[in-house]
Amino acid sequence: MSPPSTYGSINTSNDPPPSAAADLNSIGRDDGSSTSTTSLRQFSRFSSTVTSYSAKHSIVFLLVLLMTIAIIAGRFQQEWYNSLSLLRSLSKNTKGSIIVNSEKKYKTLYLLRHAKSSWVNSSNINDYDRQLSPSGRKVAHTVGKSLYKRDDVDLPDLILASPSMRTRETLDLVMAAWTKRTFDESNIILYSESWYDLSDEGYFNYLVHVLSEEEDASDGSSSNDAPNYVDTVMIVGHNPAIEKLLNKLLFFSPNDQVQHYSPGHFYAVSFPTLERWSDLGEYIGEKGRRGVVELHLPE
């Protein structure tokens, strides 16, 4: 009888022990599971990245699309707005106001101070005959060009002007550039010495008189009446009277008034609820209303 082995029984086969086989099988299973998990995680991260990238670009694309639509819609709206003359202005002489009845117009007054005059040889020339300086002629021409480029300002229906040399030259240069031709003054310009003589006293009372009553033409002078169907009247005059007139038509408080009406400057003043020129005195006086500056040139 053989004595028992100190080390127990010996496995003489080539197979690994059961515990080792189990460990190997376990190792094989763990490696496969780890690889699959890693692959899934990588795919998940890739999918998340793609999804996030697509979402961000979708938002950007949507914003760009909305902006493009807004720009196109704005352009179409502007073209539509411009095509409707009754929506462009309160009358053709003003801008930015909306009216319901295109047949109804309101009154607009243009004020034009003569441009800068020349003082060369002034000692030998009386004040009435002083001509424009080169810079004054340039300003008058610039104002006329600016008016020509605008389609929201009508030519005046009636012009009331001082007959001095510098007011005549200013008016001629402005109107020549505005109309792109030599201005025909035969029909709509009424010259009056009063616009020269009242240059210090003020124009308002005389303007109300001219616009309200037809003067007796028996003395050979032209009628200065401005019919109520005339919508746009232009005054070409002198300072300080034209500055006083502008402030009278626009402002209640002296603190708000224009302090210096520059030579050659043009103002378009509208009266949104004035329907008859003969009511201008009451409009400004008793009713206490004021006009609105629609345009000031040079800008």
Side-chain angles (χ1 to χ4, degrees), residues 32-85:
S33 176
S34 176
T35 302
S36 299
T37 301
T38 301
S39 299
L40 288 174
R41 288 176 180 173
Q42 291 177 346
F43 179 76
S44 176
R45 285 197 297 268
F46 176 76
S47 299
S48 299
T49 302
V50 171
T51 302
S52 176
Y53 181 84
S54 299
K56 290 180 180 178
H57 279 69
S58 296
I59 293 173
V60 172
F61 174 76
L62 182 60
L63 291 175
V64 172
L65 180 62
L66 290 175
M67 291 175 61
T68 302
I69 293 174
I71 292 172
I72 294 174
R75 289 180 178 176
F76 275 113
Q77 183 183 28
Q78 185 65 34
E79 291 178 2
W80 172 81
Y81 181 78
N82 287 339
S83 67
L84 300 178
S85 58

Side-chain angles (χ1 to χ4, degrees), residues 73-285:
R75 289 180 178 176
F76 275 113
Q77 183 183 28
Q78 185 65 34
E79 291 178 2
W80 172 81
Y81 181 78
N82 287 339
S83 67
L84 300 178
S85 58
L86 75 163
L87 290 180
R88 295 184 59 192
S89 60
L90 194 61
S91 73
K92 291 182 179 179
N93 310 306
T94 61
K95 58 181 180 179
S97 302
I98 298 177
I99 60 173
V100 176
N101 182 3
S102 60
E103 297 297 324
K104 188 175 183 179
K105 289 186 178 181
Y106 298 106
K107 306 304 182 185
T108 300
L109 188 66
Y110 298 158
L111 303 182
L112 176 64
R113 181 188 173 188
H114 69 78
K116 185 176 180 58
S117 58
S118 173
W119 290 91
V120 177
N121 296 325
S122 59
S123 59
N124 300 323
I125 302 175
N126 62 47
D127 180 77
Y128 190 87
D129 294 327
R130 280 193 293 114
Q131 298 179 335
L132 294 183
S133 67
S135 62
R137 295 178 65 84
K138 180 179 179 180
V139 169
H141 180 69
T142 298
V143 169
K145 282 177 58 179
S146 298
L147 289 167
Y148 174 76
K149 293 176 181 179
R150 304 181 67 97
D151 60 357
D152 57 352
V153 184
D154 275 351
L155 288 167
D157 302 313
L158 177 66
I159 299 175
L160 306 172
S162 163
S164 72
M165 180 62 69
R166 57 189 180 275
T167 46
R168 285 179 178 269
E169 287 187 342
T170 300
L171 178 60
D172 184 67
L173 288 167
V174 168
M175 299 307 295
W178 192 353
T179 62
K180 290 296 183 181
R181 59 180 173 78
T182 302
F183 184 58
D184 181 8
E185 62 180 52
S186 58
N187 294 324
I188 69 170
I189 299 181
L190 296 176
Y191 289 101
S192 172
E193 298 287 347
S194 295
W195 300 110
Y196 179 82
D197 296 335
L198 295 172
S199 57
D200 290 325
E201 180 179 340
Y203 287 156
F204 181 73
N205 291 334
Y206 182 64
L207 174 65
V208 171
H209 168 72
V210 168
L211 298 180
S212 300
E213 298 179 2
E214 182 174 357
E215 292 184 347
D216 186 359
S218 60
D219 59 357
S221 63
S222 299
S223 170
N224 277 345
D225 179 56
N228 283 304
Y229 59 79
V230 171
D231 293 309
T232 308
V233 176
M234 183 174 182
I235 297 175
V236 188
H238 306 262
N239 239 17
I242 201 164
E243 179 181 305
K244 292 179 181 178
L245 177 60
L246 178 67
N247 288 326
K248 177 75 172 179
L249 297 174
L250 295 179
F251 303 108
F252 290 99
S253 171
N255 296 329
D256 299 328
Q257 294 183 353
V258 174
Q259 298 301 319
H260 179 64
Y261 192 131
S262 299
H265 280 223
F266 173 97
Y267 287 86
V269 181
S270 68
F271 305 93
T273 58
L274 180 66
E275 298 183 19
R276 296 174 56 86
W277 282 119
S278 56
D279 295 333
L280 179 63
E282 180 183 1
Y283 184 95
I284 297 296

